[in-house]
C-alpha cells in the first residue's frame, strides 16, 4: 500500500505505535490493526498548535503533555529525531547547542554563503567538529536529502561520524540512500564520449565529417576552448595538429568580450580567486568575479552533466533569502494586473519579505477582505502577463514595442514579477521564445533570431519573399519594392549576388526582433535581476530553459498521488477511493481533469518549479462533498460508503466550484 512521506513520518513519530511487522508487511512494517488502534487513540488527542484532533505525536520530556501533528510540529519548530526510538521534543524541551565563544561579527553559512548571526538556535546550527562552521537548518536538510547517509558530512573537514550524530540529535533527517547524483542513470556518460566530427561549414573530406585519420591532414582537431566542436586539419588550413584552433562560436565570444589574444594550450585559473567556497558550492560566489554569459555557456558544455543543477534546487536556494517579515498585498481578482502593480510599487514593499495575499472586491463599501492564496495570485498574474500587450507571438513569445508601457516602466515591472513568482513559489512563465531566452543569457549580440520570432505578418512576408528568390534579378526586384521599409530600418544594401539575400534576411530579423525592442529588453532585464534571478539564469541556462521556454508536463494520476500527502492518519477506504478517482480522471472517465483537481485544492493548474509551500495535503472527513483550502493547499475528501458516491460528489463539487469562481470573476469585471 502506498503512503505519502508525511504519513510515513507521522507513523514513525507517533507515540503509541511500533513496527511489529517486517518491512514489506502492512505499511512499512506498521500492521494495519496497529494503525487502526493508533488512529482511535489519536482521535481523542487535540493538537496543542492547530487545536484539531488526531495529534498522535507527543513530547518525550517527562511530565510534558503536549501533543501535535507532524506538520504542525515542524511549523512550531519542534525537533524530530530520525534515529533510535524516533523521539520528538516540543519547542520548550528540544535539544540545544551550547557554545562558549561569543562571536561579535556575522559569519557565512558554509553551504549558501549568506551571512548569519553565529548564535545557536532552531534555524542556525553549528558543526560539532569545526567550531567556525555554521549552517542554516534548511541548507543542512537540503544537503542531507541530496547526499544521503553515505555522503553527508561536514563541509569543512569532511568528518561524517561526529557530524551526523550531532545533526541527527538536532533533528536533521539523513535518509539511508545513496547520493542523488550517484542514482542518476548514466550521469557521467557524456564525460566518456570523445567528440570526433568535423563541424566547419564546408567539410572537404570525401570520406565524410566523421572520418578521422590520425597523423594526416584528415585528423580531427578539437576546439581548444570548448572541446565540443572539431575540424579536419585540411578543412581549416591547419598545417599541423599543434596549431591552435577555436570554433566559430568561441571565436565570437573571445572577440566580443574584448579579450582576444593568442590562446595558450592550457589556461590555469587565477589562484587568487580560488577559495574554500569554490570547493563547497557548484556555483561561484556572487562576490567573486563572474565570467561572461558566453563563457558560462561553453563551460557548461565542457563540464558535462556532473555540474548541471536541478531548477527546483536552484529556486529553493534563492528562496532561502526570503525573510520571515511579511508584506500583505491586497489583490482584486477581477483586476489582477493593476492591483499587483499597486502592491509591488508600494514604498513599503520589499521582494525579500514573505508575501501574504488578501482578496478584496473593488467598490466594496464594507471593505471586506478574504485570505488569499499566494500561489493562486501568482498563477493568475503569470496568465495575465502571458496575454498582455508587453509580449507578442502565439505560443513562444518575444517582447513587443509598446511606447505607453515603456513610459509607465511596465517592462521593468514585468521582469520583477517573473522573478518574484519564481522565488516565492509561483509558476514559471513557460512562454519565452528561445530567442528571448538566449538574449537574456548570452546577450543580444550573440543571438540570431529566426522567422518564427516575427509576429508581424507584413514583415514575415517580406522575409519569405526575399528568402525564396532564385535569381539576382528577382532579389533586386523584391528589394526595390520594399526599399522604403528597408531604408527606414537601416537594412537597405547593394545586391550583387544571390547569396546577399541571406545577410539581408539576417539583418531584418536582428532589427525587428532584437534592435527594435532594445529599450523594452533592457528594462525587462533589469526587473529580472530582482532576488538574483537573472544571475542564476545566466549561470544555469540549461536548467531554466526548461521552465521559461516550455509549459509544464501534463499531470498524471501518479504525479497527483505522490504530490498530496496525508495530513492525518488515513482512512484506508477513502484513500483507496481517492487513488481510484485519480485513475478514472486520467482515463477520461470523469467530467473533471487533473488540472481541475489541482486548481480546486491549490489555485494552480500546474506544480510550481520550486514546489508547493505548504505541501498539498489530504484530509479524510465525514462529509458529503470535498472542500479545497487554497491557502493551506489542503483537500478534504469525503468518506463515503461506495466509490460511485465518492466520484459523483467529487465531480459535482469540483466542476461547479470552478464554474462559479469563473462566473464570479466575470461578474466583477463586468461591473
Amino acid at each position: 500500500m502506498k503512503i505519502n512521506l508525511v504519513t510515513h513520518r507521522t507513523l514513525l513519530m507517533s507515540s503509541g505505535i511500533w513496527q511489529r511487522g517486517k518491512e514489506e508487511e502492512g505499511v512499512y512494517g506498521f500492521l494495519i490493526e496497529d494503525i487502526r488502534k493508533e488512529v482511535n487513540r489519536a482521535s481523542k488527542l487535540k493538537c496543542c498548535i492547530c487545536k484539531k484532533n488526531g495529534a498522535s505525536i507527543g513530547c518525550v520530556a517527562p511530565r510534558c503533555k503536549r501533543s501535535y501533528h507532524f506538520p504542525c510540529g515542524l511549523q512550531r519548530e519542534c525537533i524530530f529525531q530520525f534515529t533510535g526510538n524516533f523521539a520528538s521534543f516540543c519547542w520548550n524541551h528540544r535539544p540545544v547547542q551550547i557554545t562558549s565563544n561569543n562571536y561579535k561579527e556575522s559569519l557565512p553559512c558554509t553551504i549558501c554563503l549568506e551571512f548569519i548571526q553565529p548564535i545557536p538556535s532552531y534555524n542556525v546550527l553549528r558543526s560539532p567538529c569545526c567550531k567556525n562552521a555554521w549552517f542554516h537548518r534548511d541548507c543542512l536538510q537540503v544537503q542531507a536529502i541530496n547526499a544521503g547517509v553515505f555522503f553527508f558530512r561536514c563541509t569543512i573537514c569532511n568528518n561524517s561520524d561526529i557530524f551526523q550524530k550531532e545533526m541527527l540529535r538536532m533533528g536533521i533527517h539523513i535518509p539511508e540512500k545513496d547520493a542523488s547524483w550517484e542514482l542518476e542513470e548514466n550521469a557521467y556518460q557524456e564525460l566518456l564520449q570523445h567528440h570526433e566530427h568535423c563541424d566547419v561549414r564546408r567539410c572537404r573530406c570525401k570520406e565524410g565529417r566523421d572520418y578521422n585519420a590520425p597523423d594526416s591532414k584528415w585528423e580531427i582537431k578539437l576546439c581548444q576552448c570548448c572541446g565540443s566542436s572539431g575540424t579536419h586539419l585540411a578543412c581549416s588550413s591547419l598545417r599541423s595538429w599543434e596549431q591552435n584552433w577555436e570554433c566559430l562560436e568561441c571565436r565570437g565570444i573571445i572577440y566580443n568580450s574584448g579579450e582576444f589574444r593568442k590562446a595558450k594550450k592550457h589556461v590555469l585559473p587565477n589562484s587568487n580567486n580560488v577559495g574554500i567556497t569554490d570547493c563547497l558550492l557548484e556555483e561561484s560566489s556572487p562576490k567573486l568575479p563572474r565570467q561572461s554569459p558566453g563563457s558560462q555557456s561553453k563551460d557548461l558544455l565542457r563540464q558535462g552533466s556532473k555540474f548541471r543543477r536541478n531548477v527546483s534546487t536552484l529556486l529553493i536556494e534563492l528562496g532561502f533569502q526570503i525573510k520571515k517579515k511579511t508584506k500583505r498585498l491586497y489583490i482584486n481578482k477581477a483586476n489582477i494586473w493593476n492591483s499587483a502593480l499597486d502592491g509591488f510599487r508600494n514604498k513599503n514593499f520589499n521582494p525579500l519579505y514573505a508575501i501574504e495575499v488578501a482578496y478584496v472586491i473593488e467598490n466594496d463599501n464594507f471593505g471586506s477582505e478574504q485570505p488569499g492564496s499566494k500561489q493562486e495570485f501568482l498563477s493568475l498574474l503569470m496568465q495575465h502577463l502571458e496575454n498582455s500587450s508587453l509580449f507578442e507571438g502565439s505560443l513562444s513569445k518575444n517582447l513587443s514595442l509598446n511606447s505607453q508601457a515603456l513610459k509607465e516602466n511596465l517592462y521593468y515591472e514585468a521582469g520583477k514579477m517573473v522573478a518574484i513568482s519564481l522565488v516565492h513559489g509561483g509558476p514559471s512563465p513557460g512562454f519565452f521564445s528561445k530567442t528571448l531566452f538566449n538574449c537574456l543569457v548570452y546577450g543580444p549580440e550573440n543571438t540570431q533570431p529566426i522567422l518564427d520570432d516575427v509576429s508581424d505578418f507584413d514583415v514575415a512576408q517580406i522575409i519569405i519573399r526575399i528568402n525564396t528568390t532564385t535569381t539576382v534579378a528577382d532579389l533586386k526586384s523584391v528589394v526595390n519594392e520594399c526599399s522604403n521599409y528597408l531604408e527606414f530600418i537601416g537594412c537597405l544594401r547593394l545586391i550583387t549576388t544571390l547569396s546577399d539575400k541571406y545577410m539581408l534576411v539576417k539583418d531584418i530579423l536582428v532589427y525587428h526582433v532584437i534592435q527594435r525592442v532594445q529599450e523594452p529588453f533592457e528594462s525587462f532585464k533589469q526587473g529580472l535581476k530582482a532576488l538574483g534571478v537573472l544571475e542564476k539564469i545566466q549561470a544555469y541556462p540549461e536548467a531554466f530553459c526548461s521552465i521559461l521556454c516550455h509549459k509544464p508536463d501534463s499531470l498524471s494520476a501518479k504525479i497527483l498521488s505522490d504530490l498530496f500527502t496525508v495530513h492525518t492518519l488515513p482512512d484506508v477506504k477513502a484513500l483507496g477511493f481517492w487513488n481510484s478517482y485519480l485513475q478514472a480522471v486520467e482515463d477520461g472517465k470523469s467530467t473533471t481533469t487533473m488540472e481541475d483537481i489541482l486548481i480546486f485544492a491549490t489555485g494552480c493548474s500546474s506544480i510550481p518549479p520550486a514546489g508547493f509551500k505548504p505541501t498539498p495535503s489530504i484530509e479524510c472527513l465525514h462529509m458529503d462533498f470535498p472542500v479545497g483550502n487554497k491557502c493551506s493547499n489542503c483537500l478534504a475528501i469525503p468518506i463515503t460508503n461506495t466509490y460511485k458516491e465518492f466520484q459523483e460528489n467529487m465531480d459535482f463539487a469540483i466542476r461547479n466550484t470552478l464554474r462559479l469562481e469563473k462566473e464570479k470573476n466575470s461578474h466583477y469585471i463586468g461591473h
Side-chain angles (χ1 to χ4, degrees):
M1 179 181 177
K2 184 181 179 302
I3 291 293
N4 289 310
L5 183 60
V6 170
T7 304
H8 181 216
R9 294 188 178 176
T10 300
L11 287 171
L12 289 173
M13 293 295 166
S14 292
S15 305
I17 189 171
W18 292 266
Q19 288 172 296
R20 296 195 301 120
K22 297 180 180 178
E23 190 69 20
E24 63 274 8
E25 290 185 85
V27 181
Y28 296 106
F30 293 96
L31 302 182
I32 299 299
E33 56 267 28
D34 291 344
I35 295 178
R36 289 198 175 101
K37 290 178 183 178
E38 182 64 2
V39 170
N40 184 55
R41 185 188 73 87
S43 65
K44 304 170 186 175
L45 299 175
K46 184 174 291 186
C47 176
C48 64
I49 299 170
C50 72
K51 309 305 179 185
K52 294 181 180 180
N53 290 339
S56 62
I57 305 173
C59 177
V60 300
R63 293 192 295 276
C64 181
K65 297 182 180 180
R66 289 192 179 97
S67 295
Y68 34 83
H69 301 110
F70 181 76
C72 296
L74 288 178
Q75 184 181 357
R76 194 62 173 81
E77 300 183 348
C78 300
I79 279 185
F80 302 94
Q81 294 180 345
F82 292 90
T83 184
N85 293 324
F86 292 90
S88 168
F89 299 87
C90 71
W91 53 94
N92 279 344
H93 301 113
R94 67 191 181 203
V96 296
Q97 290 183 312
I98 299 175
T99 176
S100 56
N101 296 334
N102 293 322
Y103 297 90
K104 296 181 179 179
E105 298 182 356
S106 298
L107 293 175
C109 166
T110 60
I111 296 177
C112 72
L113 300 185
E114 291 288 333
F115 279 87
I116 53 181
Q117 197 63 31
I119 300 173
S121 65
Y122 177 81
N123 291 309
V124 177
L125 301 177
R126 190 186 71 165
S127 171
C129 39
C130 296
K131 304 305 180 185
N132 289 326
W134 294 81
F135 313 91
H136 292 109
R137 173 180 288 273
D138 289 341
C139 293
L140 270 176
Q141 187 58 77
V142 170
Q143 180 165 314
I145 294 296
N146 286 322
V149 70
F150 301 110
F151 289 90
F152 184 56
R153 57 195 64 187
C154 176
T155 55
I156 302 298
C157 68
N158 273 339
N159 179 283
S160 60
D161 294 337
I162 299 175
F163 186 75
Q164 286 191 17
K165 185 176 180 181
E166 175 66 4
M167 293 305 119
L168 286 169
R169 185 180 77 90
M170 296 306 298
I172 299 297
H173 174 50
I174 310 172
E176 293 185 11
K177 69 177 186 68
D178 208 344
S180 56
W181 57 85
E182 296 290 341
L183 298 175
E184 184 180 345
E185 187 176 357
N186 297 323
Y188 307 102
Q189 192 65 30
E190 293 179 11
L191 300 179
L192 305 177
Q193 297 176 358
H194 181 69
H195 187 83
E196 289 188 353
H197 185 80
C198 180
D199 299 291
V200 297
R201 186 173 182 181
R202 291 185 179 179
C203 178
R204 301 175 185 175
C205 182
K206 295 180 180 180
E207 301 293 332
R209 292 182 176 271
D210 294 325
Y211 181 70
N212 182 24
D215 301 323
S216 74
K217 65 179 181 180
W218 302 120
E219 181 175 4
I220 289 181
K221 167 80 174 177
L222 298 182
C223 171
Q224 65 173 0
C225 294
C226 69
S228 59
S229 296
T231 177
H232 290 116
L233 298 183
C235 296
S236 294
S237 302
L238 300 177
R239 295 180 182 178
S240 67
W241 193 87
E242 282 74 21
Q243 275 188 265
N244 293 326
W245 178 79
E246 302 97 10
C247 65
L248 191 62
E249 186 179 355
C250 289
R251 199 176 307 155
I253 293 171
I254 294 171
Y255 273 108
N256 288 326
S257 65
E259 298 175 359
F260 178 73
R261 58 188 181 278
K262 187 174 180 180
K264 299 176 182 178
K265 282 218 168 179
H266 301 286
V267 181
L268 295 175
N270 186 344
S271 60
N272 294 332
N273 290 337
V274 178
I276 193 165
T277 55
D278 297 295
C279 303
L280 298 175
L281 297 178
E282 294 174 7
E283 65 181 32
S284 60
S285 165
K287 298 177 177 60
L288 297 179
R290 289 185 66 248
Q291 297 171 294
S292 69
S295 300
Q296 291 172 350
S297 143
K298 303 305 291 184
D299 280 347
L300 281 174
L301 290 173
R302 181 165 62 252
Q303 291 168 346
S305 63
K306 179 180 178 182
F307 292 92
R308 293 179 190 146
R309 302 287 300 280
N310 179 281
V311 70
S312 299
T313 305
L314 294 170
L315 292 175
I316 290 171
E317 289 174 359
L318 285 174
F320 288 156
Q321 63 188 307
I322 304 301
K323 305 179 186 301
K324 288 189 175 181
K325 185 175 181 179
T326 60
K327 170 63 180 175
R328 175 168 290 190
L329 299 179
Y330 295 93
I331 301 299
N332 176 8
K333 291 177 76 172
N335 195 352
I336 283 285
W337 176 256
N338 286 328
S339 52
L341 272 181
D342 291 342
F344 291 155
R345 285 175 167 175
N346 188 294
K347 63 179 181 179
N348 294 322
F349 177 77
N350 187 335
L352 288 173
Y353 293 165
I355 294 176
E356 284 185 358
V357 172
Y359 288 138
V360 297
I361 301 174
E362 196 171 11
N363 301 324
D364 181 6
N365 296 327
F366 297 100
S368 59
E369 60 183 63
Q370 295 177 342
S373 162
K374 176 184 67 175
Q375 288 172 315
E376 181 187 36
F377 155 62
L378 293 174
S379 181
L380 294 172
L381 184 59
M382 289 299 104
Q383 290 174 28
H384 180 94
L385 194 61
E386 180 176 3
N387 299 313
S388 72
S389 61
L390 301 178
F391 294 89
E392 59 185 21
S394 52
L395 297 177
S396 297
K397 296 178 181 287
N398 290 293
L399 291 170
S400 65
L401 180 58
N402 186 320
S403 57
Q404 185 62 31
L406 266 176
K407 184 178 179 181
E408 296 177 11
N409 205 24
L410 295 185
Y411 289 100
Y412 170 82
E413 297 295 341
K416 186 169 73 172
M417 288 175 182
V418 171
I420 288 173
S421 179
L422 290 173
V423 178
H424 283 266
S428 61
F431 58 82
F432 286 13
S433 72
K434 287 290 182 66
T435 297
L436 174 57
F437 180 78
N438 288 338
C439 286
L440 290 169
V441 175
Y442 309 118
E445 68 279 4
N446 294 319
T447 302
Q448 178 57 51
I450 59 175
L451 182 59
D452 288 345
D453 292 319
V454 180
S455 59
D456 188 305
F457 178 80
D458 294 331
V459 176
Q461 287 300 306
I462 292 174
I463 294 173
I464 292 172
R465 289 183 62 193
I466 293 173
N467 226 2
T468 54
T469 55
T470 56
T471 65
V472 175
D474 289 343
L475 180 58
K476 287 183 177 180
S477 175
V478 173
V479 170
N480 186 53
E481 287 181 36
C482 308
S483 58
N484 289 337
Y485 170 73
L486 294 175
E487 185 176 10
F488 174 75
I489 66 175
C491 294
L492 188 61
R493 60 169 55 237
L494 181 65
I495 302 299
T496 57
T497 65
L498 186 61
S499 60
D500 288 340
K501 70 179 183 179
Y502 301 115
M503 190 57 68
L504 180 57
V505 166
K506 179 180 178 181
D507 290 345
I508 297 173
L509 285 170
V510 169
Y511 168 78
H512 187 81
V513 180
I514 294 180
Q515 294 177 353
R516 182 177 64 95
V517 295
Q518 184 174 0
E519 195 172 348
F521 172 77
E522 290 299 328
S523 182
F524 181 75
K525 184 178 174 182
Q526 288 300 315
L528 203 55
K529 288 182 178 179
L531 297 167
V533 169
L534 179 62
E535 185 176 4
K536 215 68 160 177
I537 293 173
Q538 291 174 341
Y540 300 98
E542 206 170 316
F544 279 92
C545 182
S546 64
I547 64 169
L548 296 179
C549 300
H550 303 281
K551 292 294 184 181
D553 294 334
S554 299
L555 297 171
S556 66
K558 184 179 187 311
I559 289 174
L560 282 193
S561 178
D562 292 341
L563 177 66
F564 283 87
T565 60
V566 182
H567 189 64
T568 56
L569 290 177
D571 181 283
V572 177
K573 187 176 179 181
L575 282 183
F577 287 168
W578 162 249
N579 287 321
S580 298
Y581 179 67
L582 291 179
Q583 193 59 53
V585 173
E586 183 176 286
D587 295 339
K589 299 176 181 178
S590 168
T591 56
T592 61
T593 65
M594 294 293 178
E595 288 71 23
D596 290 340
I597 297 173
L598 196 60
I599 294 172
F600 181 79
T602 68
C604 297
S605 60
S606 61
I607 302 173
F612 284 104
K613 190 174 183 181
T615 302
S617 60
I618 285 179
E619 288 183 319
C620 306
L621 300 179
H622 290 280
M623 56 186 183
D624 293 330
F625 297 100
V627 176
N629 187 336
K630 298 175 183 178
C631 294
S632 61
N633 296 329
C634 182
L635 174 61
I637 60 176
I639 297 176
T640 59
N641 293 323
T642 65
Y643 171 72
K644 182 181 179 182
E645 183 184 359
F646 181 89
Q647 178 171 343
E648 288 176 350
N649 292 358
M650 292 289 290
D651 284 348
F652 178 84
I654 294 173
R655 183 177 65 251
N656 286 285
T657 299
L658 297 185
R659 178 180 59 82
L660 289 172
E661 286 182 353
K662 190 174 182 180
E663 291 177 355
K664 189 177 180 181
N665 290 337
S666 300
H667 174 74
Y668 290 155
I669 294 172
H671 285 69

